[in-house]
Amino acid sequence: MTATIRPDGALDVEQLVLPGQTAAPAGPVDPAGMYLMHHAFRRDLALFTAATAATPAGDQACWKRLQRRWALFSGALHKHHHGEDSGLWPLLLERTAGGEDAAILRAMAAEHEHIDPLLQACDAGFAGLAAGTASTAAARGLLAGHVTELRDRIEAHLAHEERDAMALVQAHLTQHDWERLDKEHFAPQYSPRDVPAVLAWVMHGLPPHAVRRIPGGPALRAIGGLLVRRFARAERRTFRYAAPAAGA
């Protein structure tokens, strides 16, 4: 990570920009971890959209793999939103003057609330197809519709967050604030047993410049590189009916 000093003496951190990302407002905070998670969410939503449209309703074994993989995605998304709702948005509300800034932050929380019912509908759809209790083309079509709607909502939310909410982060928070938020509201949600799976999940498909922004130092990134190879093999099997996307 590098930084530049503006003419007014303020520090601008080099911001991470990933495929599909809408914005990366300049400022003193390095939210690379946030953008890495957003990249993984976008990648997964594309995969699940393709898989739910193409996987035969009767292939119960594949639906079981998809359900397990969906649990990894939805669990990470839930933790991410919980950290924002419990820590990030309240802190920004304290620091901002209200008005338009407060409206942006209220919108962030409201968008999370609109996403939750769709997540629950998708949970139920994957469970039914995996259990074989809803192994019909109609059940698959219903799930595919829910996943597509969820993809559209989350992509709109991520774009809004990257463009407007992250601008508030850069205007009102410091790097120390950001690290404290991670320590108190995001990191504690993951147990040591969660870390290998989440590390491989985040690193899968990242361009080299983004891999270097994975926190934890070279040793952790090297371990992650080994885990990603196994993760990629599982991805090809799980998303076998969406092979072009899964191999990306």
Side-chain angles (χ1 to χ4, degrees):
M1 180 183 69
T2 61
T4 58
I5 300 176
R6 295 190 303 222
D8 61 2
L11 186 71
D12 273 349
V13 172
E14 180 186 11
Q15 299 296 318
L16 177 64
V17 179
L18 291 161
Q21 192 171 319
T22 300
V29 178
D30 178 19
M34 178 79 74
Y35 297 144
L36 289 165
M37 294 295 286
H38 286 190
H39 176 266
F41 295 147
R42 286 183 169 108
R43 178 204 63 214
D44 277 14
L45 288 163
L47 282 167
F48 282 113
T49 299
T52 52
T55 302
D59 191 341
Q60 191 177 349
C62 194
W63 285 108
K64 287 180 178 179
R65 292 192 293 271
L66 284 165
Q67 184 192 25
R68 288 193 295 270
R69 181 61 174 76
W70 175 260
L72 176 61
F73 161 79
S74 62
L77 182 66
H78 174 75
K79 291 179 174 68
H80 187 74
H81 284 179
H82 178 74
E84 291 176 337
D85 291 337
S86 67
L88 180 55
W89 308 146
L91 179 59
L92 283 171
L93 278 169
E94 289 178 11
R95 299 285 178 87
T96 57
E100 184 178 344
D101 292 349
I104 291 169
L105 297 169
R106 286 194 296 269
M108 291 294 106
E111 288 166 15
H112 286 181
E113 292 179 1
H114 292 146
I115 286 167
D116 287 344
L118 277 172
L119 274 173
Q120 294 167 8
C122 292
D123 290 346
F126 279 106
L129 285 155
T133 57
S135 55
T136 66
R140 186 192 69 177
L142 182 62
L143 174 59
H146 288 322
V147 170
T148 299
E149 185 179 356
L150 180 69
R151 178 201 64 193
D152 294 344
R153 280 192 178 270
I154 291 179
E155 286 185 349
H157 171 68
L158 295 179
H160 190 187
E161 184 175 310
E162 289 164 355
R163 184 183 62 249
D164 296 331
M166 297 310 292
L168 296 180
V169 166
Q170 299 294 359
H172 298 286
L173 301 187
T174 66
Q175 182 64 23
H176 176 74
D177 291 327
W178 190 258
E179 291 170 0
R180 180 171 59 82
L181 283 167
D182 182 60
K183 183 177 180 180
E184 295 179 0
H185 294 278
F186 290 93
Q189 299 184 74
Y190 295 95
S191 72
R193 293 183 62 182
D194 294 331
V195 171
V198 174
L199 179 62
W201 173 75
V202 169
M203 290 183 65
H204 180 57
L206 281 181
H209 79 279
V211 172
R212 292 192 290 272
R213 301 294 287 273
I214 295 285
L220 185 65
R221 291 193 289 271
I223 293 170
L226 296 175
L227 294 171
V228 163
R229 296 175 192 173
R230 184 172 64 182
F231 186 86
R233 290 194 295 271
E235 290 286 272
R236 288 190 288 271
R237 190 177 181 208
T238 299
F239 295 101
R240 56 180 295 195
Y241 296 104

